[in-house]
Amino acid sequence: MSSWPRDWRELPMAGIINIAGSSLDYKTGTWRARKPVLYPDKCIKCQICWLFCPDMAINRLEDDSVEINYEYCKGCGICAEECPTKAIEMVEEVG
Ligand code: SF4
Ligand code: SF4
């Protein structure tokens, strides 16, 4: 049996970097294994993908269309799952 702590109180101390507004500095898109691809011809501009994206990685444009910000998109696939017209498809990240 492992000697690893079996109770959370035995876990080693951890920490976070708590600098307000620093999230923009961390390009979390590099964590991605799959990426969403948007097909504008299928998009009805409902912005449901923007509403559901947990990383605010979908931008709303002036004409109500959307674009994916690949610098911060982690590839979770929620936008593709929620899009009512299947205008977003998840594909393997290449390179
Ligand atoms: S959820 Fe789909 S249809 Fe709606 S704005 Fe996003 S991509 Fe377009
Ligand atoms: S894959 Fe996830 S993180 Fe990326 S745009 Fe869609 S909902 Fe946001």
Side-chain angles (χ1 to χ4, degrees), residues 46-60 66 78-79 82:
C46 66
Q47 302 185 355
I48 287 175
C49 54
W50 170 81
L51 188 65
F52 275 86
C53 176
D55 288 300
M56 299 183 74
I58 294 181
N59 299 330
R60 298 164 65 183
V66 292
I78 292 174
C79 54
E82 296 298 331

Side-chain angles (χ1 to χ4, degrees), residues 18-86:
N18 189 16
I19 303 171
S22 65
S23 59
L24 285 175
D25 296 338
Y26 298 97
K27 308 293 186 190
T28 49
T30 58
W31 302 1
R32 201 172 49 235
R34 296 187 310 147
K35 72 174 186 180
V37 174
L38 174 65
Y39 302 110
D41 54 318
K42 290 185 176 179
C43 177
I44 58 172
K45 302 180 181 182
C46 66
Q47 302 185 355
I48 287 175
C49 54
W50 170 81
L51 188 65
F52 275 86
C53 176
D55 288 300
M56 299 183 74
I58 294 181
N59 299 330
R60 298 164 65 183
L61 306 181
E62 275 190 21
D63 66 350
D64 290 336
S65 63
V66 292
E67 68 177 10
I68 296 161
N69 184 336
Y70 290 111
E71 287 199 326
Y72 299 102
C73 165
K74 293 178 189 156
C76 68
I78 292 174
C79 54
E81 194 67 36
E82 296 298 331
C83 175
T85 63
K86 301 299 174 202

